[in-house]
Amino acid sequence: MPQKQTHEPETTRRADAIEDTLNRLTQLSEKLMQLARAEGAQLDASAPHYARAVLRLVVDDLPRADRTRIELNLPAAQMLCEIDPDAVTIVARNLIENALRHGSSAPISVMLSDDGWLHVENDCVAVSPQTLDTLQGRFIRGGDAGVGSGLGLAVVQKIAKRTSSTLKLISPLLGKHRGFRASIKLGRNA
């Protein structure tokens, strides 16, 4: 972390505001690049790959504080994926970041099922059906979403469409009055 060169409160406040703005712009440009890739790039893998390895790398790449909140459940059998590994990384990272950002402090469940579905689930106040229907749009965020660009689910939705997959959003979770689950089909049994 850089050392502060001034002790004047107003200058420090302005510098902090500039740093916050630059961080938000960096995050927004990353999401816009992901969206451009989802719209124009080749999303089919040149050769099938194992989705488990990609998901493990995504979770391992998270900051330590976030990583400790993740409950990663991967199937014993290898799961072949025909979606480009970079696109799988974008999907998984967006879904996990959304779950971390918009959920309570409870653990986040990241599960790859035996039939190839990736499920990312968090504890949160239930999302209304009206809001749930709009969350896949660009620059759309839930009612009290806080920070974020509103592009994460739009990127995942675009990748799902271009790879003949489906993005499913569910809230509240079955048998509960809370929670949110995002699911997308990634692969098939090896």
Side-chain angles (χ1 to χ4, degrees):
M1 180 159 210
Q3 287 186 327
K4 294 184 179 182
Q5 299 295 320
T6 183
H7 298 291
E8 295 177 24
E10 182 60 22
T11 303
T12 300
R13 186 193 63 73
R14 286 183 184 168
D16 290 344
I18 290 169
E19 183 178 14
D20 289 344
T21 300
L22 289 173
N23 287 334
R24 284 194 307 276
L25 286 171
T26 300
Q27 291 169 355
L28 177 60
S29 45
E30 179 182 329
K31 295 295 180 196
L32 289 170
M33 287 188 291
Q34 289 176 357
L35 186 58
R37 178 166 170 39
E39 289 178 333
Q42 174 68 27
L43 297 180
D44 295 326
S46 55
H49 62 91
Y50 295 123
R52 283 187 343 185
V54 174
L55 294 174
R56 183 162 305 286
L57 285 172
V58 169
V59 171
D60 289 347
D61 191 45
L62 292 170
R64 181 170 158 47
D66 292 339
R67 220 175 27 246
T68 60
R69 291 185 51 205
I70 303 295
E71 293 177 350
L72 183 60
N73 301 300
L74 300 174
Q78 287 287 3
M79 186 70 48
L80 281 177
C81 184
E82 294 176 0
I83 301 172
D84 179 77
D86 289 339
V88 173
T89 299
I90 290 169
V91 164
R93 188 158 187 100
N94 276 303
L95 294 180
I96 293 169
E97 285 176 351
N98 276 353
L100 289 164
R101 181 177 294 127
H102 302 298
S104 70
S105 60
I108 307 298
S109 172
V110 177
M111 182 183 82
L112 184 61
S113 66
D114 289 333
D115 60 355
W117 281 89
L118 171 64
H119 304 284
V120 179
E121 192 174 289
N122 68 331
D123 175 64
C124 63
V125 174
V127 178
S128 73
Q130 299 82 5
T131 301
L132 204 57
D133 289 341
T134 66
L135 286 179
Q136 297 170 36
R138 294 178 185 188
F139 302 105
I140 303 294
R141 301 180 328 166
D144 58 350
V147 298
S149 63
L151 285 172
L153 290 176
V155 170
V156 174
Q157 173 64 14
K158 181 57 79 173
I159 290 172
K161 275 186 171 180
R162 292 217 33 240
T163 59
S164 301
S165 188
T166 304
L167 173 62
K168 295 180 182 180
L169 305 178
I170 299 168
S171 184
L173 299 176
L174 189 61
K176 299 181 180 182
H177 299 289
R178 302 177 53 80
F180 182 88
R181 174 188 271 188
S183 302
I184 183 171
K185 179 93 174 195
L186 291 181
R188 57 184 167 78
N189 290 332

